[in-house]
C-alpha cells in the first residue's frame, strides 16, 4: 500500500512518524475521513474546506494549497488503484521538542492513507441500531470546540468505551448541560410529527458533511427541518431517530437506552433519506 507522506508516495512500512511529532505527543493536529464511491470522492471540497477550517482554529498553517491537497489525495488513490474506499487525511503540527510550544514544530506532517472501507453489516441498516447514552459528556466548546476535527479524540473514545461496555455500536453524547450533542462518530437526528430536527452544532458537535447532505435532501423533499436543543426525553418520544456519518452514511436507530423508538422499525422519512443519500453518492463529488 502506498501512503502519501510529506509530498511523496512511500510504501506503508516507510511511512513512519517521529516520536517527537506533536500529533503523537499531544494530539496536536487535524484530520478528515473521506469516502469514495466508485471513482467519485464524495463531497471532496467540503471535506477539504473543513480540514483547513479545523487547522485555522488551532492556528496550524497547512503548507500546501487546497488544490495541491486534492491532487495529493487523487494521486494516492490512483497509486493504490482504489475504488469505493476510505481516505484518512492527517495534518499534524509536526516534529518539535518535548514541550508544548507549537513554534518549535517547524513543518507540519501531512499524510494520506487510502484504504478499503469497513462497513456496518447490512442488517444494522435493515433493522436499525440499538444505542445508549454515554456517561462521558462531550467536550465543552469553550475548552475544545467539537467543531474542530482534531487528532484529540479521547473524549469520543471514552464514550465509545461506554458503548462497548453496554454492548452497543454507538453512544449518544450529551453536552455538559445535558443536551443531546451527537454520537461518538456520527451526528444525530430525530423525526417528530414529520418534522426533522437536529441539535445545532454550536452546542458541541462536529458539523458533519453527511449531516449537511441529509439536511439538503430533506429540504429538497420539503420536509420541515430545524435545529433545536434536544433532551433525551425528546429522543425517547421521537417517531424516528437516525445517525449520519461518512462511514455509517444514514443509519436508523430503533432503541435508545433499551427504550423503543417509534414503532421499533426504521421510519418512513429515515428510509426515504437513506435511499436518496445513496443516489446522491453516485453524483456528488470529485471524479478521479
Ligand atoms: N461527529 C463526530 C464526532 C465525528 O467524528 C464524525 C465523523 N466520523 C461525525 C460526527 C460525522 O461527520 P461526517 O458526516 O463529516 O463524517
Amino acid at each position: 500500500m502506498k501512503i502519501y507522506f510529506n509530498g511523496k508516495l512511500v510504501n506503508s512500512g516507510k511511512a513512519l512518524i517521529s516520536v517527537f511529532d506533536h500529533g503523537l505527543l499531544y494530539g496536536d493536529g487535524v484530520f478528515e475521513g473521506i469516502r469514495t464511491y466508485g471513482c467519485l470522492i464524495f463531497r471532496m471540497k467540503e471535506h477539504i474546506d473543513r480540514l483547513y477550517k479545523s487547522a485555522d482554529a488551532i492556528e496550524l498553517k497547512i503548507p500546501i494549497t487546497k488544490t495541491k491537497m486534492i491532487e495529493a489525495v487523487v494521486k494516492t488513490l490512483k497509486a493504490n488503484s482504489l475504488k469505493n474506499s476510505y481516505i484518512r487525511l492527517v495534518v499534524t503540527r509536526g516534529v518539535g521538542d518535548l514541550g508544548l510550544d507549537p513554534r518549535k514544530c517547524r513543518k507540519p506532517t501531512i499524510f494520506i492513507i487510502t484504504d478499503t472501507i469497513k462497513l456496518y453489516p447490512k442488517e444494522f441498516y435493515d433493522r436499525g441500531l440499538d444505542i445508549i447514552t454515554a456517561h462521558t459528556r462531550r467536550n465543552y466548546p469553550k475548552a475544545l470546540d467539537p467543531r474542530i476535527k482534531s487528532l484529540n479524540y479521547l473524549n469520543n473514545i471514552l464514550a465509545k468505551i461506554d458503548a462497548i461496555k453496554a454492548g452497543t455500536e454507538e453512544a449518544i453524547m450529551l453536552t455538559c448541560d445535558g443536551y443531546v450533542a451527537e454520537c461518538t462518530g456520527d451526528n444525530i437526528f430525530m423525526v417528530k410529527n414529520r418534522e426533522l430536527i437536529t441539535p445545532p452544532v454550536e452546542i458541541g458537535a462536529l458539523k458533519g458533511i453527511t449531516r449537511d447532505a441529509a439536511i439538503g435532501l430533506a429540504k429538497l423533499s420539503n420536509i420541515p427541518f430545524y435545529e433545536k436543543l434536544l433532551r433525551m426525553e425528546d429522543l425517547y418520544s421521537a417517531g424516528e431517530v437516525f445517525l449520519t456519518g461518512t462511514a455509517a452514511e444514514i443509519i436508523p436507530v430503533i432503541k435508545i437506552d433499551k427504550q423503543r423508538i417509534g414503532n421499533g422499525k426504521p421510519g418512513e422519512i429515515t428510509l426515504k433519506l437513506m435511499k436518496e443519500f445513496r443516489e446522491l453518492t453516485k453524483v456528488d463529488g470529485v471524479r478521479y
Side-chain angles (χ1 to χ4, degrees), residues 59-205:
E59 301 198 18
L60 167 60
K61 172 120 189 51
I62 300 179
I64 62 173
T65 62
K66 290 183 182 178
T67 310
K68 285 267 175 271
M69 189 65 91
I70 293 174
E71 281 171 19
V73 169
V74 168
K75 204 161 91 174
T76 316
L77 283 166
K78 284 188 169 161
N80 292 299
S81 311
L82 275 170
K83 285 181 186 174
N84 297 313
S85 57
Y86 182 79
I87 303 161
R88 175 57 55 90
L89 177 41
V90 182
V91 184
T92 81
R93 188 77 65 181
V95 175
D97 63 16
L98 289 180
L100 291 178
D101 191 345
R103 293 172 302 184
K104 298 281 168 61
C105 308
R106 292 279 181 78
K107 200 174 101 218
T109 303
I110 304 177
F111 61 89
I112 303 168
I113 307 168
T114 57
D115 203 352
T116 50
I117 172 120
K118 318 268 174 307
L119 298 174
Y120 275 145
K122 184 176 174 297
E123 71 243 36
F124 287 7
Y125 294 88
D126 295 342
R127 266 195 267 138
L129 289 181
D130 176 354
I131 65 174
I132 57 145
T133 311
H135 299 297
T136 310
R137 295 288 166 110
R138 193 71 178 106
N139 279 335
Y140 183 58
K142 284 186 178 146
L144 175 57
D145 195 330
R147 284 178 292 181
I148 303 169
K149 199 162 169 65
S150 83
L151 290 178
N152 219 304
Y153 251 52
L154 204 46
N155 180 220
N156 311 59
I157 291 165
L158 292 174
K160 182 79 180 179
I161 291 171
D162 293 338
I164 293 165
K165 281 186 179 158
T168 62
E169 299 298 325
E170 255 295 8
I172 298 168
M173 300 183 76
L174 306 178
T175 66
C176 294
D177 302 327
Y179 292 108
V180 174
E182 59 176 339
C183 289
T184 70
D186 298 301
N187 291 109
I188 188 159
F189 285 81
M190 64 172 252
V191 178
K192 196 163 191 180
N193 303 325
R194 303 192 67 77
E195 291 181 327
L196 183 65
I197 308 165
T198 195
V201 291
E202 292 74 23
I203 64 159

Side-chain angles (χ1 to χ4, degrees), residues 248-262:
E249 301 178 324
I250 297 178
I251 191 159
V253 171
I254 45 116
K255 240 186 205 179
I256 303 174
D257 299 327
K258 306 222 178 321
Q259 302 205 38
R260 199 174 74 171
I261 304 302

